[in-house]
Amino acid sequence: MLSSEELTELESELVSVCRTAIGDDIRSITYFTVDDYEQLYLRSDLEQDANLEPFVANERLGFTSQQTYEETELGEYKFNIRVFEWGTITRTIVGDLGVFVTTDPLKLDEFSEVDQSIRTVLEEFTG
């Protein structure tokens, strides 16, 4: 469990690395655990009162995915991308910490940069 000071630092670093990696194409950043979540960033031109519960519930399935794909011939599970008509959701999980980021459409190689940036920050806070 992170202290409130560590959580504030984590949230600040996540916003910084995601904004740096994605730029103006970022739509939102949401940090989550098994029990809680917090939207860290939401672009001003988007609906400010959207219901995040269904998104968070779906992204939490990634905790199970980590275990499902553990020790397969595919290698280590890295991140997940879902592509939609007008944007994407990218999810990265490290240990018991997760982040999903929504963006305008991006090129495939940009997702690896987003994942690596998030992964570096999460690894700092998972010990």
Side-chain angles (χ1 to χ4, degrees), residues 17-28:
V17 298
C18 290
R19 298 262 312 144
T20 298
I22 302 168
D24 292 339
D25 289 328
I26 195 164
R27 290 173 170 245
S28 69

Side-chain angles (χ1 to χ4, degrees), residues 1 4 12 16 29 32 37 45 48 63 74 77 87-88 91-92 103 107 120:
M1 187 75 164
S4 62
S12 176
S16 178
I29 305 166
F32 64 96
Y37 74 91
D45 65 326
Q48 300 294 308
F63 292 120
L74 295 171
Y77 175 77
T88 65
R91 176 190 66 218
T92 298
T103 69
K107 294 180 181 156
T120 298

Side-chain angles (χ1 to χ4, degrees), residues 66-98:
Q66 278 187 309
Q67 295 169 351
T68 301
Y69 299 121
E70 201 170 66
E71 299 180 29
T72 70
E73 292 180 6
L74 295 171
E76 181 185 348
Y77 175 77
K78 297 279 190 173
F79 64 99
N80 203 39
I81 304 170
R82 282 184 227 34
V83 179
F84 298 87
E85 185 175 4
W86 298 303
T88 65
I89 294 176
T90 303
R91 176 190 66 218
T92 298
I93 292 176
V94 174
D96 59 355
L97 306 177

Side-chain angles (χ1 to χ4, degrees), residues 37 47 49-55:
Y37 74 91
E47 187 178 326
D49 60 351
N51 180 8
L52 290 179
E53 288 289 335
F55 285 91

